[in-house]
Amino acid sequence: MDVNTIYHRTVEFFADRVNAVKADQWDDPTPCTDWTVRDLTNHVTYEDLWTVPLMSGSTIDQVGDRFEGDVRGADPIGSTLTAARAAIAAVAGELPRAGTVHLSFGETPSSEYVMQLAADHLVHGWDLAVATDGDARMDPHLVRAVADWFDEREQAYRAAGAISARRALTVDARHDLLPRFGRYASWGPSHRALARFNSAFGSGDLDAALALVTDDVVFESTSPAPDGGRHEGRDAVGAAWSAVMSTPGMTFTEEESFVSGDRAVVCWRYGWGGEHPGHVLAIGRAAEELA
């Protein structure tokens, strides 16, 4: 496939998944750890809006901040699809000129920029599909095309912090595109539940965190020293978590997590401020109920 066809089809793949988002799914978590469905669609819509002026030769400074903030407005699906159609038209019209675009890291061939966008639409389309229980099947021809292009760019992406560490790979490079982009290809309900819990705990929302656990939940704390304490049951754990969440400068940061079937493990860093700031590392485990 030529670059324009690859791009057009990946944008359509993403747009189809956006069109299927239900009204109560915008705040759901996605495989992009820090993004909800709303954040993810806003990111891609933002990219689509930038595509039009950049493909026509505008510089970063000329575009300025016109696309900052929530670019989807009151009609998130309609705004996203409108931006996608405009981006498709801009690429189809300008790509044959084989020019360059002005990006933050310098002049870039337009074909390279368009392939970057294609990869983003394909992977984020999958992100959106699994986050909303949509159709996550990807066209194998698109996967092959993006994987082949990505071969020489993966290390640069990772070095720049654009993607996270690789996940476990298979023997077929075409099927490894998602793990190479830092995704768990098996991302599903258990990952979603774990993401909801991490978000609730990290934001100090005690009620939301407790709503995601069972009555027989167990929490083993790091205090009192040296052996810590054990709290059993929703009420006892709620009281312990309330104290943890009310600590001045409390931070809760996921460092690593994995899910195997209906079991999940998350390694996190709990920090605090105040007169004697510090942190501890901890591990959380869950089973069955996450699914």
Side-chain angles (χ1 to χ4, degrees):
M1 288 183 287
D2 62 89
V3 172
N4 183 62
T5 300
I6 295 169
Y7 172 75
H8 192 149
R9 289 173 60 177
T10 58
V11 175
E12 287 185 332
F13 173 75
F14 182 83
D16 286 345
R17 275 68 196 165
V18 171
N19 215 21
V21 176
K22 299 179 178 63
D24 62 351
Q25 293 180 317
W26 292 111
D27 292 320
D28 285 354
T30 73
C32 300
T33 307
D34 297 326
W35 283 351
T36 62
V37 170
R38 183 189 314 278
D39 298 325
L40 189 151
T41 55
N42 192 70
H43 164 76
V44 178
T45 304
Y46 174 85
E47 282 193 335
D48 289 342
L49 292 171
W50 269 91
T51 300
V52 177
L54 290 181
M55 287 298 294
S56 66
S58 295
T59 65
I60 299 291
D61 288 341
Q62 288 171 336
V63 177
D65 60 0
R66 75 176 79 165
F67 301 132
E68 297 304 310
D70 186 350
V71 296
R72 303 167 320 126
D75 180 13
I77 293 179
S79 299
T80 299
L81 299 182
T82 297
R85 285 191 290 268
I88 286 174
V91 169
E94 297 295 334
L95 192 59
R97 304 179 190 275
T100 60
V101 293
H102 304 274
L103 301 181
S104 58
F105 47 82
E107 292 287 321
T108 303
S110 58
S111 58
E112 173 65 18
Y113 171 58
V114 170
M115 280 302 301
Q116 294 173 9
L117 296 174
D120 223 37
H121 282 82
L122 182 64
V123 174
H124 283 322
W126 178 87
D127 289 335
L128 185 58
V130 296
T132 58
D133 291 323
D135 183 359
R137 294 173 297 176
M138 297 187 292
D139 184 330
H141 299 292
L142 292 177
V143 173
R144 181 195 293 272
V146 172
D148 288 345
W149 166 85
F150 195 52
D151 283 344
E152 297 181 1
R153 296 159 178 84
E154 180 177 356
Q155 294 305 318
Y157 263 60
R158 187 160 290 112
I163 55 175
S164 59
R166 275 188 174 197
R167 306 305 182 184
L169 303 182
T170 69
V171 296
D172 188 340
R174 290 172 301 165
H175 297 160
D176 284 338
L177 183 65
L178 294 170
R180 290 171 64 196
F181 269 88
R183 270 64 171 175
Y184 292 104
S186 60
W187 203 94
S190 294
H191 294 85
R192 188 181 301 118
L194 185 61
R196 286 195 180 105
F197 178 81
N198 289 343
S199 176
F201 204 102
S203 63
D205 190 336
L206 179 62
D207 291 339
L210 288 175
L212 292 166
V213 302
T214 56
D215 290 336
D216 60 352
V217 60
V218 175
F219 172 60
E220 295 180 343
S221 64
T222 58
S223 61
D227 299 323
R230 181 179 175 88
H231 310 271
E232 300 183 22
R234 188 187 299 271
D235 291 342
V237 169
W241 284 354
S242 178
V244 168
M245 292 177 181
S246 61
T247 301
M250 187 276 284
T251 60
F252 175 86
T253 306
E254 177 185 333
E255 295 203 330
E256 183 181 7
S257 65
F258 64 88
V259 173
S260 178
D262 59 4
R263 302 186 68 85
V265 175
V266 56
C267 302
W268 45 277
R269 181 189 190 97
Y270 169 69
W272 58 89
E275 186 177 351
H276 302 289
H279 73 272
V280 293
L281 302 179
I283 296 177
R285 299 183 299 273
E288 295 185 0
E289 292 79 11
L290 278 178

